[in-house]
Amino acid sequence: MEIDVQMRRRASRRWIAIGMIAFGAMFLVLGLVLAGATASFLSDAKRTRGSVVALEWREDNHKEDHTPVAYPVVEFTSADGMPRRFQSSTGSNPPSYEKGERVDVLYRAGSPADARINGFASLWLLPLIFGGTGLAMSVGGTAVATARRWRS
């Protein structure tokens, strides 16, 4: 009876380790893909100055208290002389920017609608979250698998 329980524990630890490594690898790959997309964006992005013209407040459905989050709306003039406007994909509470604040804007010359605020969060937050989570899960799964083999 005791041997059966030990075998089940070993099997469950093995599957936990395999699952952690697999999910960690997927998250790590996704983080690397996002980092590559950001690097590609930066390699051909035009730089200009813009102004925060508004803060778009939305409820954050990922939090239990549904705290509203401010997303800056930025206006800038592209190289073709056309005024452009975009809403940042990164929001925060308290707001990271104030209405009227001047910001650096990066955009693709061939597609000025693809614009971002030149800031750490707007450029690198998602790659860092996915890559860091993936790395931590993979290392944790490897540690579980290594500890299991070491005990055997």
Side-chain angles (χ1 to χ4, degrees):
M1 184 73 145
E2 188 175 316
I3 293 172
D4 190 39
V5 170
Q6 286 178 348
M7 289 177 63
R8 285 186 195 159
R9 284 183 184 162
R10 285 183 190 152
S12 66
R13 279 190 222 127
R14 178 179 49 226
W15 285 110
I16 288 170
I18 290 170
M20 286 178 70
I21 293 169
F23 279 110
M26 287 189 314
F27 273 67
L28 186 56
V29 167
L30 182 57
L32 291 172
V33 167
L34 290 170
T38 297
S40 172
F41 173 81
L42 291 173
S43 71
D44 67 343
K46 300 285 185 189
R47 181 182 290 230
T48 190
R49 297 285 289 164
S51 294
V52 176
V53 294
L55 294 175
E56 183 74 30
W57 288 90
R58 293 186 291 189
E59 276 190 13
D60 186 354
N61 295 326
H62 298 100
K63 294 184 179 180
E64 288 182 22
D65 60 357
H66 299 286
T67 306
V69 176
Y71 293 83
V73 177
V74 178
E75 236 176 46
F76 69 99
T77 303
S78 58
D80 61 7
M82 297 291 298
R84 309 285 179 166
R85 181 182 280 220
F86 72 95
Q87 180 177 327
S88 177
S89 60
T90 308
S92 62
N93 189 356
S96 298
Y97 302 96
E98 295 177 6
K99 188 175 176 182
E101 185 175 344
R102 301 278 295 160
V103 294
D104 283 331
V105 174
L106 300 171
Y107 68 96
R108 291 191 192 270
S111 177
D114 185 9
R116 301 178 198 175
I117 295 174
N118 186 12
F120 179 80
S122 5
L123 296 173
W124 297 108
L125 187 61
L126 281 179
L128 186 63
I129 288 172
F130 280 99
T133 302
L135 184 62
M137 288 178 70
S138 294
V139 167
T142 302
V144 169
T146 303
R148 187 180 149 274
R149 285 183 183 246
W150 186 70
R151 286 183 188 158
S152 296

